[in-house]
């Protein structure tokens, strides 16, 4: 599966952005999907994940209550709604796909396919 992330940009603190991850291939609905982010000089960090059927979602502690992951399997797209953005949310955001049919991971090594990343910058 090929992934294309988009929707990043520059926003003021307290604002919102919605990220999109478009997937190619007819098997998108079989994959758990995740969002990660990486700030300069830092390791890639888990943000959110959603199971293949949308039935379960998971969030990193730093984004709980502010970010929401969702998916539309008919459109081969996964979304990340980001509200109440903070300057520390500034990073390149990556979407990724996990082929495990039983669960979706929260570690980078759980995901086999990665998109190219989209930059999110939050100004104070």
């Amino acid at each position: 599966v090929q992934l294309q992330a988009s929707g990043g940009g520059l926003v003021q603190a307290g604002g919102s952005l919605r990220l999109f991850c478009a997937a190619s291939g007819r098997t998108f609905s079989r994959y758990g999907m995740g969002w990660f982010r990486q700030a300069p000089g830092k390791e890639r960090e888990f943000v959110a994940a959603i199971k293949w059927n949308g039935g379960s979602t998971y969030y990193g502690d730093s984004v709980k209550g502010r970010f929401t992951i969702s998916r539309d399997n008919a459109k081969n797209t996964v979304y990340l709604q980001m509200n109440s953005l903070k300057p520390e949310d500034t990073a390149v955001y990556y979407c990724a796909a996990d082929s495990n049919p039983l669960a979706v991971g929260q570690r980078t090594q759980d995901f086999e396919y990665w998109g190219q990343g989209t930059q999110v910058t939050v100004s104070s």
Side-chain angles (χ1 to χ4, degrees), residues 9-116:
L10 174 64
V11 64
Q12 288 188 334
S16 298
L17 277 177
R18 194 182 198 198
L19 303 185
F20 303 81
C21 179
S24 63
R26 292 176 291 178
T27 59
F28 170 76
S29 61
R30 300 180 186 177
Y31 290 88
M33 297 297 296
W35 286 97
F36 291 77
R37 66 187 183 186
Q38 189 166 19
K42 295 188 177 181
E43 293 187 352
R44 195 162 293 192
E45 175 190 15
F46 170 73
V47 175
I50 186 167
K51 202 173 175 181
W52 65 272
N53 59 359
S56 299
T57 56
Y58 307 90
Y59 297 93
D61 289 342
S62 60
V63 306
K64 282 180 182 176
R66 300 188 298 122
F67 290 11
T68 303
I69 188 171
S70 61
R71 67 188 297 161
D72 185 338
N73 286 344
K75 296 182 178 180
N76 280 14
T77 302
V78 63
Y79 308 94
L80 185 68
Q81 179 66 43
M82 305 187 295
N83 298 329
S84 302
L85 282 161
K86 305 174 181 180
E88 50 264 43
D89 293 319
T90 295
V92 177
Y93 284 70
Y94 299 89
C95 61
D98 176 356
S99 64
N100 185 343
L102 302 178
V104 62
Q106 298 181 35
R107 306 171 303 169
T108 56
Q109 57 264 45
D110 295 327
F111 292 80
E112 296 96 322
Y113 303 98
W114 292 82
Q116 85 292 358

